[in-house]
């Protein structure tokens, strides 16, 4: 099962080696992270980043090994944005000359970069950004300026204290004309003493949700006061400004930017499966250890994991972790496919790829954030302790629902593409990729589910057809309602809540389909395929049960068939139960990476909880600070009362 989760024996071996390398190094300790001040936490992040780079260099790690080592350090910091956004931006939008100049500096950490797009007043609406980059032909320079308070760059990770450079997104103005948003490489700090350069005001935006968590990241604020940069620091792969100030497009198609977008969103979906699997691992292991009620005549209490209520809440989340993992693996293939087609100037699948990646980012991150909180509740009161690992995991993960595209905004983008695909069906244009099912519109609009017994839902054809019919009927219904509006845009606005649900239905179909395709492959290991099949059925039928109203309202299934699906779910939970712990052990997480006393591999939970409590700084003294000033006067009735 470890191989099925990781993807290959090589991936298991490399991941295990890097995880243990991090876990055995005292510099990467993180058990005190929620107890130290923000200043101490940030300094600790700098120390870990420097030490990680030192170890990567000393051991001459490969790019794959280095990436895994940084993952297992498990502390958000400037390095994430340097490698995850700054470098890809230059790769995707810079010319060959610009890449030759800037990438070697970034690869050797001679400069540290961030991605300065979001502003105080604009996030998702990129076209509304206010920062300006005005070309001055007299000096052959761009003048970067923040004309308003709301034009201040706000939120970029690594900007607050660490970054020396940024890819800054601003409105390009030349010859008096605004050409929209473009990227510029701007130096922010001195490479000698790290002080801000003239005309630049920057700092950290302040503490964020939770203890530890994302507070290790220096999310920043940045303002420009007519800062000048050379013309060649505009990222010019797609367009450029000549020495004379003429704006010209290059012969490189702008569609190439889609490749970077697919890559970033694929990474986010993969991260969703990692975060969800960590939470589920903690909850499953602790539910196997914890015993409550059920004792008769002095007999043993019942393992919490044996309660059907616990299983019905927890096992769908376990199945979701695997579902997100496999759809994330498929997205890696999609990235390669899109890249190859772009190089061949084939743009036929771009709209579908955009809808797919945007929707999967939205659905998986929202589901994961909700699932982590559910896992906390599944662990009872102890789940609320920082030492459980779940509060910090939740706090560090929830920003994923907003960064790289607000989830509601992304789903509405998906809905627009779905509306366009439906409108083209009558013209004979066949949908491609994950939208190909729409080509069966006549059949799916009138088909009836053939399920007669609970076990009929084990047939993947029945499951997939029900999900296809639900998605298509919801999309067509929205299109018909919008078509009745006097104005199409007004109709879209009025139907936006319905459009969100239709987009979610489409994305859930993709996840179910890719899970089904995965379990139909040859999977090595005794009993592995059978367990994955169980999880696939749990995921699909759980989604069906959760969104039963959609399936019934669109006439995809009958109430009786919905009841049969729920009946089968109970049987599937019973089949998952004996292997639940093994299924989370397959994630192969070290105790260090998991960061939870409740999810310890050895199950020695209660002694660990007791020991962990005494590490809190509040327990450094037996008598609390403030006793003599406040508690003793109160207890001795010696409080000095003011005369009114």
């Amino acid at each position: 099962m470890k191989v099925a989760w990781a993807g290959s024996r090589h991936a298991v071996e490399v991941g295990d080696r890097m995880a243990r390398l991090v876990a055995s190094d005292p510099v990467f300790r993180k058990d005190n992270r929620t107890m130290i001040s923000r200043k101490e936490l940030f300094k600790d992040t700098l120390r870990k980043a420097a030490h990680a780079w030192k170890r990567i260099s000393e051991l001459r790690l490969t790019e794959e090994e280095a990436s895994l080592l940084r993952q297992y350090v498990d502390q958000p910091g400037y390095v994430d944005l340097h490698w995850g956004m700054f470098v890809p931006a230059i790769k995707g939008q810079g010319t060959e000359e610009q890449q030759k100049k800037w990438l070697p500096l970034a690869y050797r950490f001679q400069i540290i970069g961030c991605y300065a797009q979001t502003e105080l007043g604009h996030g998702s609406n990129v076209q509304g950004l206010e920062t300006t980059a005005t070309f001055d032909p007299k000096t052959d320079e761009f003048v970067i300026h923040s004309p308003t308070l709301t034009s201040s760059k706000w939120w970029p990770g690594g900007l607050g204290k660490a970054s020396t450079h940024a890819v800054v997104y601003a409105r390009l103005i030349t010859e008096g004309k605004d050409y929209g948003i473009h990227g510029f490489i701007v130096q922010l700090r001195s490479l000698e003493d790290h002080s801000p350069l003239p005309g630049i005001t920057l700092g950290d935006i302040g503490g964020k949700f939770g203890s530890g968590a994302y507070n290790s990241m220096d999310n920043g604020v940045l303002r420009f006061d007519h800062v000048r940069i050379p013309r060649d620091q505009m990222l010019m792969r797609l367009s450029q400004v000549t020495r004379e100030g003429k704006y010209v497009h290059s012969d490189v198609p702008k569609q190439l930017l889609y490749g970077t977008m697919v890559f970033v969103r694929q990474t986010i979906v993969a991260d969703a499966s990692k975060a969800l699997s960590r939470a589920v691992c903690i909850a499953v292991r602790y539910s196997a250890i914890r015993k409550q009620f059920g004792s008769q005549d002095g007999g043993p209490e019942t393992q919490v994991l044996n309660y059907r209520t616990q299983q019905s809440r927890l096992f769908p989340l376990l199945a979701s972790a695997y579902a997100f993992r496999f759809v994330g693996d498929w997205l890696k293939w999609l990235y390669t496919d899109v890249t190859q087609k772009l190089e061949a100037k084939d743009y036929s699948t771009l709209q579908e790829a955009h809808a797919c990646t945007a929707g999967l980012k939205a659905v998986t991150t929202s589901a994961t954030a909700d699932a982590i909180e559910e896992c906390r509740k599944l662990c009872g009161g102890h789940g609320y302790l920082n030492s459980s690992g779940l509060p910090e995991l939740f706090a560090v993960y929830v920003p994923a629902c907003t960064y790289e595209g607000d989830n509601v905004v992304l789903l509405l983008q998906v809905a627009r593409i779905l509306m366009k695909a439906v409108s083209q069906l009558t013209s004979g244009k066949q949908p491609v990729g994950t939208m190909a099912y729409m080509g069966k519109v006549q059949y799916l609009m009138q088909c009836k589910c053939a399920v007669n017994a609970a076990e009929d839902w084990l047939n993947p054809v029945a499951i997939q057809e029900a999900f296809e019919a639900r998605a298509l009927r919801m999309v067509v219904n929205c299109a018909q309602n919008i078509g009745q509006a006097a104005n199409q845009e007004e109709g879209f606005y009025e139907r936006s809540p319905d459009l969100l649900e239709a987009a979610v239905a489409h994305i859930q179909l993709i996840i179910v389909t890719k899970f089904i395709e995965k379990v139909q492959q040859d999977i090595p290991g005794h009993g592995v395929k059978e367990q994955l099949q169980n999880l696939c059925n749990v995921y699909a039928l759980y989604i069906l049960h959760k969104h039963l109203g959609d399936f019934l309202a669109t006439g995809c299934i009958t109430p009786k068939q919905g009841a049969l699906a729920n009946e089968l779910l109970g049987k599937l939970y019973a089949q998952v139960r004996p292997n639940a712990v093994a299924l989370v052990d397959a994630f192969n997480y070290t105790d260090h990476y998991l960061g939870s006393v409740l999810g310890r591999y050895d199950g020695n939970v209660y002694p660990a909880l007791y020991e962990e409590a005494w590490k809190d700084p509040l327990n450094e003294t037996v008598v609390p600070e403030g006793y003599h000033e406040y508690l003793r006067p109160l207890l001795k009735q010696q409080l000095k009362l003011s005369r009114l």
Side-chain angles (χ1 to χ4, degrees), residues 65-125:
E65 291 169 332
S67 177
L68 284 168
L69 183 142
R70 288 192 292 266
Q71 173 193 319
Y72 288 123
V73 170
D74 188 39
Q75 191 152 312
Y78 69 87
V79 174
D80 303 342
L81 282 301
H82 178 84
W83 292 114
M85 297 298 290
F86 181 71
V87 168
I90 295 174
K91 278 184 175 181
Q93 299 168 44
T95 63
E96 286 189 22
E97 286 185 6
Q98 289 175 319
Q99 292 184 46
K100 287 178 182 177
K101 176 181 179 179
W102 295 102
L103 290 179
L105 298 173
Y107 288 153
R108 294 194 295 266
F109 270 120
Q110 290 176 285
I111 62 174
I112 297 170
C114 65
Y115 187 87
Q117 176 174 293
T118 299
E119 295 179 354
L120 185 59
H122 291 87
S124 297
N125 182 15

Side-chain angles (χ1 to χ4, degrees), residues 553-570:
T554 53
C556 300
I557 66 172
T558 65
K560 175 64 175 176
Q561 290 166 333
L564 291 172
N566 198 40
E567 177 186 329
L568 181 60
L569 261 180

Side-chain angles (χ1 to χ4, degrees), residues 523-567:
I523 301 174
H526 178 69
V528 172
K529 187 168 186 173
E530 179 187 352
Q531 292 307 312
L532 291 180
Q533 183 67 67
N534 285 340
L535 291 177
C536 180
N537 289 328
V538 165
Y539 179 76
L541 296 180
Y542 164 73
I543 295 297
L544 187 151
H545 177 67
K546 184 178 179 181
H547 297 273
L548 187 58
D550 290 347
F551 289 89
L552 295 177
T554 53
C556 300
I557 66 172
T558 65
K560 175 64 175 176
Q561 290 166 333
L564 291 172
N566 198 40
E567 177 186 329

